[in-house]
Amino acid sequence: MTRRVVATNAEVARQAGVSPATVSRIMNGRFTGAQEVAERVRQVAADLGYSPNHLARSLALGQTGSVAFLVPDLGNPAFQQVLAGLSKAAAADGHRVLIADSAESSEDEPLLAVDTRRRCDALVLCAPRMTEERLAAVLKEVQPVVLVNRTSPGVPVPSISIDYAKGILNIAEHLHRLGHRRFAYLAGVEGSMSNQRRLQGLATFEARHPDATVTRLVGGVTAQSGSEAADAVLEADVTAALAFNDLVAVGLVQRVRELGLRVPDDLSVTGFDDIPFAAYNTPSLTTASVPYELVGEEAWRRLYAVMNGEPPAPDVLHQPRLQVRDSTRAIR
Amino acid sequence: MTRRVVATNAEVARQAGVSPATVSRIMNGRFTGAQEVAERVRQVAADLGYSPNHLARSLALGQTGSVAFLVPDLGNPAFQQVLAGLSKAAAADGHRVLIADSAESSEDEPLLAVDTRRRCDALVLCAPRMTEERLAAVLKEVQPVVLVNRTSPGVPVPSISIDYAKGILNIAEHLHRLGHRRFAYLAGVEGSMSNQRRLQGLATFEARHPDATVTRLVGGVTAQSGSEAADAVLEADVTAALAFNDLVAVGLVQRVRELGLRVPDDLSVTGFDDIPFAAYNTPSLTTASVPYELVGEEAWRRLYAVMNGEPPAPDVLHQPRLQVRDSTRAIR
DNA sequence: CTGTTAGCGCATTCAT
DNA sequence: ATGAATGCGCTAACAG
């Protein structure tokens, strides 16, 4: 009954006639002795199929070489892009990403964040709906940490954010220039930071343009919720609908067309995020382009800095870029 | 200079006046002694903000509570669905998923698979382009492992696969019933298992229907490659185009329409996978529906079984379901 | 029921 | 240049 199925440091050391310390040094490139010794050890290691146990190594070193990424919903293309950027950048520096999907349950997020963080060296936290109180409490437990999509008033941690208010404002202004005056806004999840910011942007817009009216409608974050909101949009008697994001816009457009209206002829529709599909939708979506992959990359840079005791780069507030396509057109 | 920033088992034990073993037992619910002792220990632990070091625990236990998932491209919605299913199922059993994205570089996959696997208890491997030779070598090093999207002739490991051949055959038959006789197939990555299976399905189709011709064209796996193949499709003088997957179909449809043709009136187009967006495309995509999220879930079930020394459920070969929508129509 | 002891496998001082 | 000894923090066997 051999318990161990994989070779160990000590085993290699014994067979190569050296000490475990020497094996360790050779495996980590800190060896300064004779070449032939190194060669012999490598040979034995190869024969035994040995490679250092990552767990034991992490314990001794005090670091795992992986970072956690907590997202509300990995099914959302926007978060997938952040993950892609984070994953690539981290990999370039020899680190891995452990994902935790809270499945939109902001109740569980604090626990999930802390627990996941404990398995890694650091955390990238994206929790747009967590209360500030909870967030502050969590942040103290999970450092090093970088915030995505929001900042924390209390605890000072690096963050990468998007200027959602400005983004939706630019979209509204674009439609206003096209002659639109009656708008509908399909809201995202109530209470989420990203929805609140958009509402602020719309408030600014209304203040600037007394001739415009914006009807707030219940929306959501998925294509299905966009579909379901179609009737309400039509009843609202508007000429343009601003969806919370591209997914909602896609769902809305499809349903509206099924109901016999034309987009953009009868109704202009806009999205937000500029997910890859936005350009391939029919009609292609006018939206606010957000560099999510870059966000993931920047999050990594800051995390890496903090992990190495260096000061992180300053926070950034990305300005979404208005991307005009075919789903919007001038009145008349 | 206090080095430790977080409390340790021994520290709690000392302050609570018990042994480390007792603390361990209480933290893991294996304590059978007096309630007041447990209460006191919990109180001390809470005061010190103590929770067991996951790394040390893993080392002692010999397991980490996380599994690795290697994918060729996390940007592909199909893989994202598998991940979602896997992640949810694993989470339900108290496990986490560590992702590794090989960025379509099958060269690096063997190393990446082994290295990532070493950080976890098991691996879900999705490497459609790895050579069988390499695959066989890798499989021996990474067990427990479950294969997604392909099987291994040599090493017997559990696998969840899709009957791509049957799927594309059903699509072709559907078009044939609609009167189509001249087809174009936009191939995926050459040499990939999933592309080979589709080619086999098409060969079967041609054998059955001597009156039909299928022109093989260079494609890819992204919307952009679909766009780029549009010219070739038009030159091929066909009435129906079968894209490798939905992404390619989406790109093809958009470009073809830009070129002034109507889909499905002038050209029927089909996809594969039935990604969420397929239903929202204009026109909605006729495609082969694959239950990818279920695939991820089933992969977890088998992995979990093997990890616990139980026999895994039998391999499954999922039959894609023909999903007829608006991108295909009868000739004339 | 609870404490003592001995690893888990590795990296790293400190000697030599 | 190399080996012996120690610790990372925890769990499990074994006593008592």
Side-chain angles (χ1 to χ4, degrees):
Chain A
M1 283 299 285
T2 43
R3 276 194 61 254
R4 305 206 38 64
V5 58
V6 46
T8 155
N9 178 325
E11 184 71 13
V12 175
R14 200 178 56 72
Q15 290 201 27
V18 297
S19 77
T22 297
V23 174
S24 174
R25 291 186 180 107
I26 292 175
M27 297 305 290
N28 295 299
R30 304 194 203 304
F31 184 71
T32 51
Q35 274 307 312
E36 58 175 307
V37 176
E39 206 48 55
R40 177 156 42 92
V41 170
R42 281 187 221 287
Q43 187 58 53
V44 173
D47 292 348
L48 268 49
Y50 168 78
S51 71
N53 179 306
H54 190 264
L55 240 48
R57 197 162 188 283
S58 297
L59 183 59
L61 251 33
Q63 54 178 30
T64 67
S66 60
V67 298
F69 182 38
L70 177 65
V71 283
D73 173 23
L74 203 53
N76 190 319
F79 296 136
Q80 288 161 1
Q81 287 181 61
V82 176
L83 172 59
L86 173 65
S87 182
K88 280 177 197 164
D93 287 325
H95 285 246
R96 296 291 161 77
V97 177
L98 183 71
I99 60 160
D101 187 338
S102 72
E104 295 284 359
S105 162
S106 64
E107 292 293 307
D108 308 335
E109 279 172 357
L111 217 60
L112 194 58
V114 173
D115 187 71
T116 310
R117 161 65 181 86
R118 294 183 53 72
R119 300 164 180 251
C120 308
D121 301 334
L123 169 71
V124 174
L125 181 59
C126 183
R129 291 162 53 194
M130 198 186 291
T131 64
E132 299 216 331
E133 195 175 18
R134 283 181 176 169
L135 180 63
V138 168
L139 289 182
K140 287 170 187 158
E141 285 194 67
V142 297
Q143 308 220 9
V145 59
V146 168
L147 236 31
V148 163
N149 248 353
R150 73 183 290 179
T151 56
S152 175
V155 194
V157 304
S159 73
I160 315 291
S161 313
I162 315 296
D163 196 340
Y164 290 117
K166 188 71 74 62
I168 200 87
L169 175 58
N170 288 342
I171 289 176
E173 290 287 3
H174 161 68
L175 290 166
H176 193 268
R177 282 193 299 275
L178 290 179
H180 293 272
R181 293 298 178 268
R182 299 191 312 283
F183 307 84
Y185 169 62
L186 296 192
V189 176
E190 195 175 354
S192 81
M193 190 59 73
S194 47
N195 189 52
Q196 285 178 27
R197 295 273 184 258
R198 286 171 173 81
L199 288 173
Q200 288 173 9
L202 290 174
T204 303
F205 174 71
E206 288 177 299
R208 279 193 199 168
H209 303 282
D211 60 342
T213 63
V214 180
T215 306
R216 274 85 172 161
L217 297 177
V218 174
V221 297
T222 64
Q224 191 181 342
S225 57
S227 258
E228 292 169 358
D231 288 332
V233 170
L234 299 193
E235 282 174 20
D237 184 36
V238 298
T239 62
L242 293 75
F244 175 77
N245 65 20
D246 291 339
L247 292 176
V248 174
V250 164
L252 175 64
V253 167
Q254 200 219 31
R255 183 66 187 141
V256 158
R257 299 181 82 181
E258 281 179 8
L259 294 174
L261 294 192
R262 293 163 302 168
V263 176
D265 311 68
D266 301 322
L267 178 74
S268 283
V269 174
T270 62
F272 207 114
D273 286 349
D274 197 17
I275 62 177
F277 272 119
Y280 290 102
N281 193 57
T282 304
S284 60
L285 245 42
T286 290
T287 186
S289 187
V290 179
Y292 283 115
E293 204 164 321
L294 179 61
V295 167
E297 196 181 316
E298 290 176 332
W300 170 250
R301 297 259 162 280
R302 283 156 183 75
L303 212 49
Y304 196 54
V306 176
M307 284 163 60
N308 292 318
E310 299 163 11
D315 288 359
V316 291
L317 181 63
H318 281 288
Q319 295 302 314
R321 188 173 47 75
L322 179 65
Q323 180 68 258
V324 178
R325 296 207 181 89
D326 303 334
S327 65
T328 51
R329 87 156 37 167
I331 286 292
R332 314 228 99 231
Chain B
M1 281 300 284
T2 42
R3 277 194 63 254
R4 305 205 39 62
V5 59
V6 45
T8 153
N9 178 325
E11 184 70 13
V12 174
R14 200 178 54 73
Q15 289 202 28
V18 297
S19 78
T22 298
V23 173
S24 175
R25 291 185 182 109
I26 293 175
M27 297 304 291
N28 295 299
R30 304 193 205 302
F31 185 71
T32 50
Q35 273 308 312
E36 57 175 306
V37 176
E39 205 49 53
R40 176 155 42 93
V41 170
R42 280 188 220 288
Q43 187 58 54
V44 174
D47 291 348
L48 267 49
Y50 168 79
S51 71
N53 178 306
H54 190 263
L55 240 49
R57 195 161 189 283
S58 297
L59 183 60
L61 250 33
Q63 55 177 30
T64 68
S66 60
V67 298
F69 182 39
L70 178 64
V71 282
D73 174 23
L74 204 52
N76 190 317
F79 296 135
Q80 288 162 0
Q81 287 181 61
V82 176
L83 172 60
L86 174 64
S87 181
K88 278 177 197 164
D93 287 323
H95 285 246
R96 295 291 161 77
V97 177
L98 182 69
I99 60 160
D101 187 338
S102 73
E104 295 283 0
S105 163
S106 63
E107 293 292 308
D108 307 335
E109 280 172 354
L111 216 62
L112 194 59
V114 173
D115 186 71
T116 309
R117 160 66 181 87
R118 292 181 53 72
R119 300 164 179 249
C120 308
D121 301 333
L123 170 71
V124 174
L125 180 59
C126 182
R129 290 162 55 193
M130 197 185 291
T131 65
E132 299 215 331
E133 195 176 18
R134 282 181 175 169
L135 180 63
V138 168
L139 288 183
K140 287 170 188 157
E141 284 194 66
V142 298
Q143 308 220 11
V145 60
V146 168
L147 235 32
V148 162
N149 247 354
R150 72 183 289 178
T151 55
S152 174
V155 194
V157 303
S159 73
I160 315 291
S161 313
I162 315 295
D163 196 340
Y164 290 117
K166 188 70 72 64
I168 199 87
L169 175 59
N170 288 342
I171 289 176
E173 291 285 5
H174 161 67
L175 290 166
H176 193 269
R177 282 193 298 274
L178 291 179
H180 293 271
R181 293 298 178 270
R182 299 191 312 284
F183 307 84
Y185 169 61
L186 295 193
V189 175
E190 195 175 355
S192 80
M193 190 58 73
S194 47
N195 189 52
Q196 285 179 27
R197 295 272 183 258
R198 285 169 173 82
L199 288 174
Q200 288 174 9
L202 291 175
T204 302
F205 175 72
E206 288 177 298
R208 279 193 197 168
H209 303 283
D211 60 342
T213 63
V214 181
T215 306
R216 273 85 172 161
L217 297 177
V218 174
V221 297
T222 63
Q224 190 181 343
S225 57
S227 256
E228 292 168 359
D231 288 333
V233 170
L234 298 194
E235 282 174 20
D237 185 36
V238 298
T239 63
L242 293 76
F244 174 78
N245 65 21
D246 291 339
L247 292 176
V248 174
V250 164
L252 174 64
V253 167
Q254 199 218 33
R255 183 69 188 136
V256 157
R257 298 182 83 182
E258 281 178 7
L259 293 174
L261 294 191
R262 292 164 302 169
V263 176
D265 311 68
D266 302 320
L267 179 74
S268 282
V269 174
T270 63
F272 207 115
D273 285 349
D274 196 17
I275 61 178
F277 197 80
Y280 290 101
N281 193 57
T282 305
S284 59
L285 245 42
T286 290
T287 186
S289 187
V290 179
Y292 282 115
E293 201 163 323
L294 179 60
V295 168
E297 196 180 316
E298 290 176 330
W300 170 251
R301 297 259 161 280
R302 281 154 184 78
L303 212 51
Y304 196 55
V306 176
M307 284 164 58
N308 292 320
E310 299 164 12
D315 287 359
V316 291
L317 181 62
H318 281 289
Q319 295 302 314
R321 189 173 48 76
L322 178 65
Q323 181 68 258
V324 178
R325 297 208 182 89
D326 303 333
S327 66
T328 51
R329 85 156 40 166
I331 286 292
R332 320 222 97 233

